[in-house]
Amino acid sequence: MIVVACTLAIGLVTALAGCTNAVSLSPAPSADAAACAAVQVRLPDTVGTKYGIRATNAQSTAAWGSPSAAIMHCGVAVPTVSDLPCFSLGAVDWIRDDRGKQIVYTTFGRSPAVQVVIDTSKTTSQVLQDLGDAVATLPKDGHECLDPSDVETPGS
């Protein structure tokens, strides 16, 4: 009887410990978009050459590393105009927002949009390259990064 009770207690503790490993995130407003599901199934198991994917508790999200070196949300608001730096990496355009120890990258010209938050003390923008194939499946919305020389300035 005591052996059975101990075995059940160990099983319960093990099960609960497995649940606490999930990264707690909130879904983005359009996380239920079918295009986000297509991204989700194509996510790499590893980013930045060493950070493994972890379970999350929210739809269309992902996290790599423990503690997290990179976090992804699909279904965030689609940016249409921004004064933040915009660049192309492979087939995907990204907007870069430096926030101290974190850099927030948001796809530009894709709907729904993906946002990737990178902890710069752990990894680099290599993560974007690792996610490129998955994110490139998102439909284009006609917007793209422009070179400053492509933009007409007033009075020109």
Side-chain angles (χ1 to χ4, degrees):
M1 182 72 151
I2 292 176
V3 172
V4 172
C6 287
T7 303
L8 289 173
I10 290 171
L12 180 62
V13 169
T14 302
L16 290 176
C19 292
T20 60
N21 194 30
V23 179
S24 182
L25 299 171
S26 297
S30 297
D32 60 349
C36 285
V39 169
Q40 200 74 21
V41 299
R42 290 173 174 82
L43 292 175
D45 291 332
T46 305
V47 296
T49 69
K50 65 180 178 179
Y51 296 105
I53 197 165
R54 296 176 57 201
T56 63
N57 67 345
Q59 184 176 2
S60 299
T61 61
W64 293 267
S66 182
S68 298
I71 294 173
M72 184 215 72
H73 286 86
C74 185
V76 299
V78 175
T80 55
V81 176
S82 177
D83 58 357
L84 293 170
C86 189
F87 64 95
S88 297
L89 184 61
V92 181
D93 288 352
W94 297 93
I95 295 173
R96 177 187 168 120
D97 185 4
D98 289 306
R99 298 183 184 174
K101 232 179 100 173
Q102 293 182 332
I103 299 176
V104 178
Y105 295 96
T106 306
T107 55
F108 188 71
R110 304 281 174 161
S111 182
V114 163
Q115 191 170 73
V116 179
V117 180
I118 294 175
D119 181 337
T120 60
S121 68
K122 296 183 178 100
T123 193
T124 67
S125 61
Q126 169 67 39
V127 170
L128 301 180
Q129 194 164 343
D130 297 338
L131 299 177
D133 288 342
V135 173
T137 65
L138 291 169
K140 291 184 177 183
D141 69 6
H143 293 92
E144 60 184 30
C145 292
L146 298 175
D147 186 271
S149 64
D150 294 334
V151 180
E152 223 177 276
T153 55
S156 297

